[in-house]
Amino acid sequence: VIQSVSAPGAASVKEARSRRAWHDHPWLKFLARRSLGILITLVILVVVTFFIVHLVPGDPARNVVGVNASGQEVARMRQQLGLDDPLSVQFGDYIWGLLRGNLGTSFTQHVAVSVIIGQRLPFTALLAACSLIVALGLGIPAGILAAAIDRRVSWFRGVFVAITSFGGALPEYVVGTGLVFIFGLTFKVLPTGEANGPTSIILPALAVGLGPAAVFARIVRNEVASIWTEEYMVVARAKRLPSRILYLRHILPNVVTSTLTLGGLLLVSLLGGTVIAENIFAWPGLGTEIVQAIEDSDYPTIQAVILMLGVLATAVNLIVDVALGLLDPRSLLGAR
Amino acid sequence: MANFITGIVCPAGVSNPTIMTTKSEGTGPYVLQSEVSGSSYTLRARKDYTWGPKFPGQPQGTLPSQLVATVVTDENAAANLMLTRAADVSAFQTSNASRVDGQKGFTATVQPVFLTYLIYNEAPGHPTASQAVRKAIAQAIDRAALNSAQTNGKGTLMTSLGTPGSTCTGPDPQTLIPATNTSAASKVLKGMSFKIIGSEILNNGQGQTYLQAALDNAGANASLTNLDNESWVDDLNSGKNDWDLTIQIETNGVGSFFTATPSFLGPVPPAGHNSGNVNNAPALAQYKKASETLGTTQCQAWLQMQADLLSGNDILPLSTAPNTLVFDSHVTGLGVGGYFQPGTFRIR
C-alpha cells in the first residue's frame, strides 16, 4: 500500500502554504492592523492633548497659590510644578511618566491623577453603558415597530421621521433639563443629581441616551424596510410564517450588523454627551472632573482624563469591530 | 486642617506638611472620615469637642453627627438638589438663589462675599491716566444699574472702600463719589476709546457689559474682553497693562477694614498688586501709617487714605456681591463673610 507519494520538494511547499495560511489568517491581519491603528491613535492623542492643554488660558501656578499671591510666589510655584522648563522638557517628562504608568499629580487636588481616574472612571463607564442600553433598548424596538406600522398606515412615516429628527437633534442639556423639570421638580419621582442609589442613574442615562435612541430608531426602520423586500423575506412571508418568527429570526439578526456598527460610533459620541450630562446631574464622573480641571488649568488631570476617554473610545471601537467580525466575517475583509 | 483664607496650618501640618494631603488633623469640630477627591467629603463630628469659638447668635439644636459635602459646580444642579430635598444646605452666587430663596421650607441669608471697585489704569499712555477722564467715567456710570447687572440687584451699593459693617467710620465718603451725570461725562469722553477687561465670575461678567454700554452711551468707544477669573487675574498681575478699565473683585473673607488696599496702592505688578498703577503719595503714606498703628490712629489713617483715593478719582467703590446661604427647614446654621461655618450647623 502506498500511503503517500511526494514529489521532490513537496514537503517544503506544504510548509510554505501552512506558513502563508498562518500569516494570511484574516483575524490575525485584522487584529494586527487594528492594534497598529490604536497605537497610532493613542500616540496622536497623547501628543495633541499635551500641547492643547498648554493653550488653555490662565496660569496654573497662579491658580494654585491664589489670586493674592505675589509674583515671586507664583514664580516659585511655576518652578515647583515644572512649568518653567522648556515645553520639550515638559513633554519628555510627561511621556517618560506615561511609559512608567505615572499620570502625574493633580495641581489643585494634590493627589495622584490615577487615584482621581480610578474614583471617577467607573461612574462615567456606568453612565455610558446605561445610556447605550437606553439608545439600543428603545431605538431598535421602536425602529422595528415603526417599520411594521409604516406598512399599514400611510401617514405614519412622516410623523415618525419628524419626531425622531426632532428627538435626535435635541442636545443633552435640553433633554436633561426637561427631564429634571418633569420627573425631578414637578412629579418628584426621580432624583435630579448625584450618585445616590440605583435610581440616580435613570435621568442622566435618559438625557444622554434618548437622542441617539431616536437616531437609532430611524436607521433601524430604514434597515427593516429594506430587508422586508429581500428575496429571503419574500419567501419567508410566502410561507406565512408568524410575525414573531419573521422579526426575531429573519429581520433582527440582519439588522444587528448595521446597528452594531452604528452602536460603536454612537457610544463614542455618548462619551461626549456624558460630559454635559454629568454636569447637569452633578454626576461624579470624568465629565465633571474635566470641566473643573479645565477651569483650574490642572494640566495633568486634563491630559489623563482625555487620554482615558480616548482609550475608552478606541476600546469600544475594537470590541465592536471584533463583534462584527464574529457575526459577519465579511467585515474582516472590509478591514483590510 | 489648613484654613484657606487665613493660611493657618495646625502644628501637626507644620511639622510634617505631607500629612495635609493624606489625613485629617487639627482642632475643628469635625474630622475627615472619607473623601472622593474633588467630588465629596464625609466629615464625622468629634465626640469630645467642647472647645472652639462661641459664635454670637449660635442657633439651638443638635450638632449633626456627620456632614457630607458634595462639590457641585453648576448652581442649577445645586438648586435642583435643594428643591428635591437631596441637599440640606447650599450657597448661591447666581440668580439660581431665587429658585430656592423664598420657597416654602427654606431659610436664606444674604451675605456679602465680594467687594467690587472700578479700577482705572493710570499707567502713562492710557486715557485713564487723566483725572478728568476718570471722573467723567465715574459720572457715566449709574452704580445701581451696574449692581443690578453684576449681582441681579442682590448686592448693596458700597458707601466706602471698606468692608461693610466695619467699626472704623468717619465722614460720609459718598460725597467724594461722583454722582451720575451722563451729559457732563459725554463732554469729556466723546470720541475716546477704552479697553475694558473683566472676570466672568460675577454673573458672567454682566457688570463689565453694563460698563461698556454706559461708556458707549456717553459717546465713548469701549471694547470689552470678559475672561475666566484665572486669566483675568493673570492679566492684571502680568504688568502688561493691556487694559484701561476693570472691575476689581475682592473677597470679604477676613473682614478687615481694607482687605483690598494692596490692589490699588503700593508696588505695581509683577512685584505687587497695584494693577491700576495708582501713584497717590498721600494715600500711600496713610496706608503705611494705618499698617503700623492701632485703634483710633489707625482708623483715622484708613479714613484719610480713603478720602485721598476718592478725591483723586483713583478708584470707584461699586457694590458688594453676595452669597445667598440657603438652609432646608430642618437645618440651621451661621455664615461669616458669605461662607458657611459648618461648626454652627444644627438640626432643629
Side-chain angles (χ1 to χ4, degrees), chain B residues 226-238:
Chain B
N226 271 333
L227 302 164
D228 65 277
N229 194 56
E230 192 187 322
S231 303
W232 170 71
V233 171
D234 278 344
D235 198 297
L236 289 189
N237 287 291
S238 68

mmCIF file with all atom_site columns, all heavy atoms in Angstrom, chain B residues 226-238:
data_model
loop_
_atom_site.group_PDB
_atom_site.id
_atom_site.type_symbol
_atom_site.label_atom_id
_atom_site.label_alt_id
_atom_site.label_comp_id
_atom_site.label_asym_id
_atom_site.label_entity_id
_atom_site.label_seq_id
_atom_site.pdbx_PDB_ins_code
_atom_site.Cartn_x
_atom_site.Cartn_y
_atom_site.Cartn_z
_atom_site.occupancy
_atom_site.B_iso_or_equiv
_atom_site.pdbx_formal_charge
_atom_site.auth_seq_id
_atom_site.auth_comp_id
_atom_site.auth_asym_id
_atom_site.auth_atom_id
_atom_site.pdbx_PDB_model_num
ATOM 1   N N   . ASN B 1 226 ? -14.219 89.866 28.342 1.00 0.00 ? 226 ASN B N   1
ATOM 2   C CA  . ASN B 1 226 ? -14.515 89.143 29.579 1.00 0.00 ? 226 ASN B CA  1
ATOM 3   C C   . ASN B 1 226 ? -13.738 87.832 29.585 1.00 0.00 ? 226 ASN B C   1
ATOM 4   O O   . ASN B 1 226 ? -13.796 87.073 28.614 1.00 0.00 ? 226 ASN B O   1
ATOM 5   C CB  . ASN B 1 226 ? -16.014 88.850 29.686 1.00 0.00 ? 226 ASN B CB  1
ATOM 6   C CG  . ASN B 1 226 ? -16.767 89.966 30.379 1.00 0.00 ? 226 ASN B CG  1
ATOM 7   O OD1 . ASN B 1 226 ? -16.194 90.693 31.199 1.00 0.00 ? 226 ASN B OD1 1
ATOM 8   N ND2 . ASN B 1 226 ? -18.038 90.117 30.068 1.00 0.00 ? 226 ASN B ND2 1
ATOM 9   N N   . LEU B 1 227 ? -13.025 87.582 30.665 1.00 0.00 ? 227 LEU B N   1
ATOM 10  C CA  . LEU B 1 227 ? -12.169 86.404 30.758 1.00 0.00 ? 227 LEU B CA  1
ATOM 11  C C   . LEU B 1 227 ? -12.621 85.525 31.910 1.00 0.00 ? 227 LEU B C   1
ATOM 12  O O   . LEU B 1 227 ? -13.334 85.990 32.807 1.00 0.00 ? 227 LEU B O   1
ATOM 13  C CB  . LEU B 1 227 ? -10.711 86.822 31.015 1.00 0.00 ? 227 LEU B CB  1
ATOM 14  C CG  . LEU B 1 227 ? -10.065 87.748 29.985 1.00 0.00 ? 227 LEU B CG  1
ATOM 15  C CD1 . LEU B 1 227 ? -8.800  88.362 30.563 1.00 0.00 ? 227 LEU B CD1 1
ATOM 16  C CD2 . LEU B 1 227 ? -9.733  86.951 28.724 1.00 0.00 ? 227 LEU B CD2 1
ATOM 17  N N   . ASP B 1 228 ? -12.181 84.264 31.887 1.00 0.00 ? 228 ASP B N   1
ATOM 18  C CA  . ASP B 1 228 ? -12.389 83.468 33.094 1.00 0.00 ? 228 ASP B CA  1
ATOM 19  C C   . ASP B 1 228 ? -11.548 84.091 34.207 1.00 0.00 ? 228 ASP B C   1
ATOM 20  O O   . ASP B 1 228 ? -10.571 84.799 33.938 1.00 0.00 ? 228 ASP B O   1
ATOM 21  C CB  . ASP B 1 228 ? -12.012 81.999 32.863 1.00 0.00 ? 228 ASP B CB  1
ATOM 22  C CG  . ASP B 1 228 ? -10.548 81.823 32.588 1.00 0.00 ? 228 ASP B CG  1
ATOM 23  O OD1 . ASP B 1 228 ? -10.139 82.008 31.419 1.00 0.00 ? 228 ASP B OD1 1
ATOM 24  O OD2 . ASP B 1 228 ? -9.803  81.539 33.529 1.00 0.00 ? 228 ASP B OD2 1
ATOM 25  N N   . ASN B 1 229 ? -11.944 83.844 35.434 1.00 0.00 ? 229 ASN B N   1
ATOM 26  C CA  . ASN B 1 229 ? -11.356 84.582 36.554 1.00 0.00 ? 229 ASN B CA  1
ATOM 27  C C   . ASN B 1 229 ? -9.840  84.454 36.621 1.00 0.00 ? 229 ASN B C   1
ATOM 28  O O   . ASN B 1 229 ? -9.114  85.419 36.854 1.00 0.00 ? 229 ASN B O   1
ATOM 29  C CB  . ASN B 1 229 ? -11.982 84.092 37.866 1.00 0.00 ? 229 ASN B CB  1
ATOM 30  C CG  . ASN B 1 229 ? -11.693 85.025 39.010 1.00 0.00 ? 229 ASN B CG  1
ATOM 31  O OD1 . ASN B 1 229 ? -12.000 86.221 38.927 1.00 0.00 ? 229 ASN B OD1 1
ATOM 32  N ND2 . ASN B 1 229 ? -11.081 84.515 40.065 1.00 0.00 ? 229 ASN B ND2 1
ATOM 33  N N   . GLU B 1 230 ? -9.369  83.249 36.368 1.00 0.00 ? 230 GLU B N   1
ATOM 34  C CA  . GLU B 1 230 ? -7.934  82.985 36.468 1.00 0.00 ? 230 GLU B CA  1
ATOM 35  C C   . GLU B 1 230 ? -7.155  83.786 35.415 1.00 0.00 ? 230 GLU B C   1
ATOM 36  O O   . GLU B 1 230 ? -6.125  84.396 35.722 1.00 0.00 ? 230 GLU B O   1
ATOM 37  C CB  . GLU B 1 230 ? -7.716  81.497 36.265 1.00 0.00 ? 230 GLU B CB  1
ATOM 38  C CG  . GLU B 1 230 ? -6.348  80.996 36.613 1.00 0.00 ? 230 GLU B CG  1
ATOM 39  C CD  . GLU B 1 230 ? -6.214  79.555 36.214 1.00 0.00 ? 230 GLU B CD  1
ATOM 40  O OE1 . GLU B 1 230 ? -7.187  78.801 36.368 1.00 0.00 ? 230 GLU B OE1 1
ATOM 41  O OE2 . GLU B 1 230 ? -5.144  79.191 35.729 1.00 0.00 ? 230 GLU B OE2 1
ATOM 42  N N   . SER B 1 231 ? -7.669  83.811 34.195 1.00 0.00 ? 231 SER B N   1
ATOM 43  C CA  . SER B 1 231 ? -6.984  84.553 33.130 1.00 0.00 ? 231 SER B CA  1
ATOM 44  C C   . SER B 1 231 ? -7.004  86.046 33.412 1.00 0.00 ? 231 SER B C   1
ATOM 45  O O   . SER B 1 231 ? -6.038  86.762 33.128 1.00 0.00 ? 231 SER B O   1
ATOM 46  C CB  . SER B 1 231 ? -7.655  84.286 31.779 1.00 0.00 ? 231 SER B CB  1
ATOM 47  O OG  . SER B 1 231 ? -7.663  82.917 31.507 1.00 0.00 ? 231 SER B OG  1
ATOM 48  N N   . TRP B 1 232 ? -8.111  86.502 33.963 1.00 0.00 ? 232 TRP B N   1
ATOM 49  C CA  . TRP B 1 232 ? -8.226  87.922 34.306 1.00 0.00 ? 232 TRP B CA  1
ATOM 50  C C   . TRP B 1 232 ? -7.189  88.296 35.376 1.00 0.00 ? 232 TRP B C   1
ATOM 51  O O   . TRP B 1 232 ? -6.487  89.295 35.253 1.00 0.00 ? 232 TRP B O   1
ATOM 52  C CB  . TRP B 1 232 ? -9.649  88.193 34.792 1.00 0.00 ? 232 TRP B CB  1
ATOM 53  C CG  . TRP B 1 232 ? -9.879  89.529 35.398 1.00 0.00 ? 232 TRP B CG  1
ATOM 54  C CD1 . TRP B 1 232 ? -9.911  90.733 34.766 1.00 0.00 ? 232 TRP B CD1 1
ATOM 55  C CD2 . TRP B 1 232 ? -10.116 89.798 36.784 1.00 0.00 ? 232 TRP B CD2 1
ATOM 56  N NE1 . TRP B 1 232 ? -10.154 91.743 35.675 1.00 0.00 ? 232 TRP B NE1 1
ATOM 57  C CE2 . TRP B 1 232 ? -10.288 91.194 36.909 1.00 0.00 ? 232 TRP B CE2 1
ATOM 58  C CE3 . TRP B 1 232 ? -10.215 88.997 37.916 1.00 0.00 ? 232 TRP B CE3 1
ATOM 59  C CZ2 . TRP B 1 232 ? -10.539 91.805 38.138 1.00 0.00 ? 232 TRP B CZ2 1
ATOM 60  C CZ3 . TRP B 1 232 ? -10.478 89.598 39.129 1.00 0.00 ? 232 TRP B CZ3 1
ATOM 61  C CH2 . TRP B 1 232 ? -10.629 90.991 39.236 1.00 0.00 ? 232 TRP B CH2 1
ATOM 62  N N   . VAL B 1 233 ? -7.089  87.451 36.410 1.00 0.00 ? 233 VAL B N   1
ATOM 63  C CA  . VAL B 1 233 ? -6.101  87.699 37.471 1.00 0.00 ? 233 VAL B CA  1
ATOM 64  C C   . VAL B 1 233 ? -4.690  87.692 36.885 1.00 0.00 ? 233 VAL B C   1
ATOM 65  O O   . VAL B 1 233 ? -3.860  88.546 37.199 1.00 0.00 ? 233 VAL B O   1
ATOM 66  C CB  . VAL B 1 233 ? -6.224  86.643 38.602 1.00 0.00 ? 233 VAL B CB  1
ATOM 67  C CG1 . VAL B 1 233 ? -5.066  86.754 39.580 1.00 0.00 ? 233 VAL B CG1 1
ATOM 68  C CG2 . VAL B 1 233 ? -7.536  86.808 39.335 1.00 0.00 ? 233 VAL B CG2 1
ATOM 69  N N   . ASP B 1 234 ? -4.439  86.717 36.009 1.00 0.00 ? 234 ASP B N   1
ATOM 70  C CA  . ASP B 1 234 ? -3.123  86.643 35.356 1.00 0.00 ? 234 ASP B CA  1
ATOM 71  C C   . ASP B 1 234 ? -2.806  87.930 34.626 1.00 0.00 ? 234 ASP B C   1
ATOM 72  O O   . ASP B 1 234 ? -1.695  88.456 34.707 1.00 0.00 ? 234 ASP B O   1
ATOM 73  C CB  . ASP B 1 234 ? -3.103  85.489 34.346 1.00 0.00 ? 234 ASP B CB  1
ATOM 74  C CG  . ASP B 1 234 ? -2.832  84.170 35.012 1.00 0.00 ? 234 ASP B CG  1
ATOM 75  O OD1 . ASP B 1 234 ? -2.366  84.188 36.164 1.00 0.00 ? 234 ASP B OD1 1
ATOM 76  O OD2 . ASP B 1 234 ? -3.097  83.136 34.388 1.00 0.00 ? 234 ASP B OD2 1
ATOM 77  N N   . ASP B 1 235 ? -3.794  88.402 33.869 1.00 0.00 ? 235 ASP B N   1
ATOM 78  C CA  . ASP B 1 235 ? -3.565  89.612 33.067 1.00 0.00 ? 235 ASP B CA  1
ATOM 79  C C   . ASP B 1 235 ? -3.274  90.806 33.963 1.00 0.00 ? 235 ASP B C   1
ATOM 80  O O   . ASP B 1 235 ? -2.322  91.563 33.731 1.00 0.00 ? 235 ASP B O   1
ATOM 81  C CB  . ASP B 1 235 ? -4.788  89.880 32.181 1.00 0.00 ? 235 ASP B CB  1
ATOM 82  C CG  . ASP B 1 235 ? -4.456  90.824 31.039 1.00 0.00 ? 235 ASP B CG  1
ATOM 83  O OD1 . ASP B 1 235 ? -4.094  91.983 31.329 1.00 0.00 ? 235 ASP B OD1 1
ATOM 84  O OD2 . ASP B 1 235 ? -4.532  90.421 29.877 1.00 0.00 ? 235 ASP B OD2 1
ATOM 85  N N   . LEU B 1 236 ? -4.071  90.964 35.014 1.00 0.00 ? 236 LEU B N   1
ATOM 86  C CA  . LEU B 1 236 ? -3.866  92.111 35.914 1.00 0.00 ? 236 LEU B CA  1
ATOM 87  C C   . LEU B 1 236 ? -2.488  92.058 36.566 1.00 0.00 ? 236 LEU B C   1
ATOM 88  O O   . LEU B 1 236 ? -1.837  93.085 36.764 1.00 0.00 ? 236 LEU B O   1
ATOM 89  C CB  . LEU B 1 236 ? -4.929  92.130 37.020 1.00 0.00 ? 236 LEU B CB  1
ATOM 90  C CG  . LEU B 1 236 ? -6.360  92.484 36.642 1.00 0.00 ? 236 LEU B CG  1
ATOM 91  C CD1 . LEU B 1 236 ? -7.199  92.669 37.899 1.00 0.00 ? 236 LEU B CD1 1
ATOM 92  C CD2 . LEU B 1 236 ? -6.418  93.744 35.804 1.00 0.00 ? 236 LEU B CD2 1
ATOM 93  N N   . ASN B 1 237 ? -2.053  90.842 36.914 1.00 0.00 ? 237 ASN B N   1
ATOM 94  C CA  . ASN B 1 237 ? -0.791  90.700 37.637 1.00 0.00 ? 237 ASN B CA  1
ATOM 95  C C   . ASN B 1 237 ? 0.421   90.566 36.715 1.00 0.00 ? 237 ASN B C   1
ATOM 96  O O   . ASN B 1 237 ? 1.537   90.424 37.192 1.00 0.00 ? 237 ASN B O   1
ATOM 97  C CB  . ASN B 1 237 ? -0.852  89.498 38.582 1.00 0.00 ? 237 ASN B CB  1
ATOM 98  C CG  . ASN B 1 237 ? -1.737  89.778 39.780 1.00 0.00 ? 237 ASN B CG  1
ATOM 99  O OD1 . ASN B 1 237 ? -1.400  90.580 40.642 1.00 0.00 ? 237 ASN B OD1 1
ATOM 100 N ND2 . ASN B 1 237 ? -2.886  89.134 39.819 1.00 0.00 ? 237 ASN B ND2 1
ATOM 101 N N   . SER B 1 238 ? 0.172   90.567 35.419 1.00 0.00 ? 238 SER B N   1
ATOM 102 C CA  . SER B 1 238 ? 1.287   90.373 34.490 1.00 0.00 ? 238 SER B CA  1
ATOM 103 C C   . SER B 1 238 ? 2.099   91.646 34.287 1.00 0.00 ? 238 SER B C   1
ATOM 104 O O   . SER B 1 238 ? 3.249   91.598 33.878 1.00 0.00 ? 238 SER B O   1
ATOM 105 C CB  . SER B 1 238 ? 0.747   89.900 33.136 1.00 0.00 ? 238 SER B CB  1
ATOM 106 O OG  . SER B 1 238 ? 0.009   90.961 32.530 1.00 0.00 ? 238 SER B OG  1
#
